[in-house]
Amino acid sequence: MSSKLANQVKSSTITKENWQEKKKQLKAQFPHLSDTDLSFHEDKIEELINKLHTKIGKVLGKTKEGLHKYIESL
């Protein structure tokens, strides 16, 4: 993981409380994402970003850091 992504994850605004809404928005935009793809654990945000980057990062034209920012903005 890049140090830039690590720093973003440390100060991430993605939380268990707001994940359900973000998950709904991601599923609406990317119906091929499964519940497993979108499973959330607060101590594994970087793994989630890495998994989602593999599935949708290239479609969005985003780096892992850019994808993290995109998800935070949902």
Side-chain angles (χ1 to χ4, degrees):
M1 176 175 59
S2 74
S3 61
K4 187 174 180 182
L5 180 58
N7 289 336
Q8 281 183 317
V9 167
K10 286 178 189 174
S11 63
S12 183
T13 60
I14 301 171
T15 64
K16 185 176 181 178
E17 291 75 26
N18 68 16
W19 181 246
Q20 289 306 312
E21 184 58 35
K22 293 178 185 304
K23 180 179 173 179
K24 284 180 199 175
Q25 291 179 25
L26 286 167
K27 279 195 95 143
Q29 293 175 31
F30 306 99
H32 67 281
L33 293 175
S34 68
D35 287 335
T36 302
D37 293 332
L38 296 167
S39 77
F40 179 82
H41 302 281
E42 286 189 69
D43 59 336
K44 296 185 179 183
I45 294 174
E46 57 196 76
E47 288 178 28
L48 174 65
I49 298 298
N50 288 332
K51 186 183 330 178
L52 291 177
H53 187 259
T54 300
K55 300 261 183 174
I56 64 172
K58 291 182 178 154
V59 172
L60 291 170
K62 303 274 186 198
T63 63
K64 289 177 186 177
E65 294 84 4
L67 180 61
H68 183 263
K69 286 179 184 177
Y70 174 77
I71 293 170
E72 283 188 314
S73 73
L74 293 177

